[in-house]
Amino acid sequence: MEKINCREAADRLQDYLRQELTPELEAEMKAHIERCRPCFRSAQFERNFLIMLETRAGRECCPDKLRVRILDLIRAEARRG
């Protein structure tokens, strides 16, 4: 009997891809993804999407004016709180 079904696999996919599951759950997810073609395709898509986001985010910088504005707002909020 399968321990993880497709719905549970979909619910846990992001945690699996970020390696935030217990070793037991990670093994169950891996086994399910290896057996289930729709979940395998979904995991591949999500993994590739995350890689693309990380790659693009590494090249983008916050403009200095925006960074200063955000820091000023954070400091103002900290003084009030």
Side-chain angles (χ1 to χ4, degrees), residues 20-76:
E20 296 177 350
L21 295 176
T22 64
E24 180 181 270
L25 276 176
E26 183 178 346
E28 291 175 23
M29 280 289 295
K30 183 177 180 187
H32 178 83
I33 289 169
E34 288 174 349
R35 284 191 309 272
C36 178
R37 298 315 291 165
C39 288
F40 177 80
R41 285 191 300 272
S42 179
Q44 271 189 320
F45 175 84
E46 290 294 328
R47 180 177 288 121
N48 290 337
F49 184 74
L50 288 174
I51 290 168
M52 185 270 309
L53 284 178
E54 289 171 1
T55 300
R56 289 199 173 188
R59 291 184 279 162
E60 298 295 322
C61 293
C62 181
D64 289 336
K65 285 183 180 182
L66 179 59
R67 184 185 325 270
V68 168
R69 188 170 160 209
I70 291 169
L71 289 172
D72 287 345
L73 289 170
I74 292 171
R75 288 180 187 123

Side-chain angles (χ1 to χ4, degrees), residues 9-25:
D11 290 344
R12 293 186 171 125
L13 183 57
Q14 293 300 315
D15 292 335
Y16 173 75
L17 293 173
R18 289 188 307 260
Q19 300 176 334
E20 296 177 350
L21 295 176
T22 64
E24 180 181 270
L25 276 176

Side-chain angles (χ1 to χ4, degrees), residues 1-5 8 28 31-32 35:
M1 183 166 161
E2 199 170 299
K3 294 183 178 186
I4 290 182
N5 62 34
E8 293 168 329
E28 291 175 23
H32 178 83
R35 284 191 309 272

